[in-house]
Amino acid sequence: MNPTIRGFDHRRVSVADGVTLNVAVAGSGSPVVLLHGFPQTHLMWRHVAADLAADHTVICPDLRGYGDSDKPADPDGTAYAKRTMAADVVALARALGYDRFALAGHDRGALVAVRAGLDHPRAVTHLAALDVLPTLDMWEVMRGTMAAVGFHLYLMAQPPGLPEQLIGAAPDAFFGHFLDAWTRDPDALPADVRAAYLRASREAVPSIVADYRASAGIDVAHDRADRAAGNTLRMPVTVLQQDWGAALGYDAAALWRAWAPDLEHRTVTCGHFMAEESPAEVVKALRALLAR
């Protein structure tokens, strides 16, 4: 049996034709939606969500294609566009009675959150992104041998067939690599939580690959269109990330500021899974964002 976020109700909510999301909900007050990253589920927010639920309605879905949410086929390359996944989030909030909400995302969820902020500025009141760059910038800074850290981005960008076959042949080794390599505090991912992440990921190989494939195609096209149009995030934005800029030779804050004029950018010393490794720091940053 999968671990759950203690005190949260779990339900399934229809957000699009043929797509239902698994979501954990608790608390009362102004709504905050928390989007998980790779290779995880909504469970990654268990510490942060429990704290925020003291005075907010906290909504933690599994993204489409992940966890216990539906995993639609992707015949034309649009089912896992971040635009599509962002529309899921807006539809989810509305189904739960909220037209406006704060939004925080980690990793893949942060890319969905950014797209939601760009496409639905009237719905997203505040936005937090944890340990990513916007999609277009990510590809532009990934160069040279240091870019080997992102080998999975290139693997899953390949046409359908080979990535799914390779990953599907040893899913626990593949997904487990990132759970191990990206954390500085192994105790932050207890055995039952790690097992739940691996189980969910091995059951979602085609949809996870489709999510990443979209980020090498249609998501880049959408970002380029926004950059050309001068479209930016209009709400207060907080970004927390490791100091990848120092390692890869770019100014992360400057890249983010081009998208988010009202920006608070901070580097952290914990590993990638910061909501689990340093939840108090994440909660503090989110509460400060919500007060802006």
Side-chain angles (χ1 to χ4, degrees):
M1 184 175 179
N2 281 340
T4 59
I5 304 179
R6 185 176 301 176
F8 276 61
D9 295 326
H10 290 73
R11 63 191 77 171
R12 299 188 64 81
V13 180
S14 176
V15 294
D17 290 343
V19 179
T20 299
L21 300 187
N22 175 58
V23 57
V25 183
S28 60
S30 61
V32 180
V33 180
L34 304 176
L35 305 179
H36 67 85
F38 162 93
Q40 298 174 291
T41 69
H42 75 279
L43 186 62
M44 63 151 283
W45 291 109
R46 59 196 179 278
H47 307 304
V48 172
D51 188 297
L52 292 178
D55 47 9
H56 293 278
T57 299
V58 181
I59 302 165
C60 301
D62 289 335
L63 297 167
R64 71 158 62 196
Y66 288 82
D68 290 325
S69 289
D70 287 348
K71 302 167 181 64
D74 188 29
D76 62 1
T78 64
Y80 294 91
K82 301 309 155 293
R83 175 159 288 163
T84 305
M85 298 171 80
D88 287 349
V89 175
V90 174
L92 169 64
R94 287 177 178 164
L96 296 176
Y98 303 103
D99 291 326
R100 289 170 56 78
F101 53 91
L103 182 58
H106 174 257
D107 190 83
R108 309 303 295 171
L111 301 181
V112 176
V114 169
R115 177 46 55 190
L118 291 168
D119 286 359
H120 306 277
R122 295 184 180 179
V124 180
T125 63
H126 302 76
L127 192 149
L130 277 57
D131 220 26
V132 294
L133 288 175
T135 300
L136 183 56
D137 298 287
M138 175 190 71
W139 288 113
E140 291 178 348
V141 304
M142 295 290 284
R143 61 174 65 91
T145 57
M146 289 297 295
V149 69
F151 78 93
H152 60 300
L153 301 172
Y154 297 93
L155 171 62
M156 290 191 275
Q158 303 309 308
L162 183 61
E164 293 87 345
Q165 184 177 356
L166 292 176
I167 296 168
D172 285 9
F174 180 77
F175 296 114
H177 165 79
F178 301 103
L179 293 174
D180 295 337
W182 290 351
T183 182
R184 296 184 183 178
D185 177 11
D187 292 338
L189 301 179
D192 61 335
V193 171
R194 189 179 190 278
Y197 292 156
L198 291 177
R199 182 165 52 249
S201 296
R202 83 171 72 99
E203 294 173 355
V205 170
S207 52
I208 290 175
V209 174
D211 168 33
Y212 272 85
R213 185 177 289 120
S215 286
I218 192 169
D219 295 343
V220 172
H222 291 158
D223 276 11
R224 283 177 175 156
D226 278 320
R227 177 173 285 179
N231 191 21
T232 61
L233 296 164
R234 305 176 195 174
M235 66 291 300
V237 174
T238 289
V239 173
L240 301 179
Q241 59 190 152
Q242 298 177 90
D243 198 3
W244 286 110
L248 295 175
Y250 62 85
D251 184 339
L255 293 176
W256 269 108
R257 195 165 290 110
W259 292 100
D262 185 359
L263 175 70
E264 175 72 21
H265 183 279
R266 292 170 51 194
T267 57
V268 299
T269 58
C270 61
H272 178 65
F273 302 113
M274 58 185 69
E276 291 164 291
E277 293 188 57
S278 189
E281 184 174 10
V282 173
V283 166
K284 182 178 178 180
L286 292 182
R287 288 192 176 280
L289 169 66
L290 294 170
R292 280 162 62 190

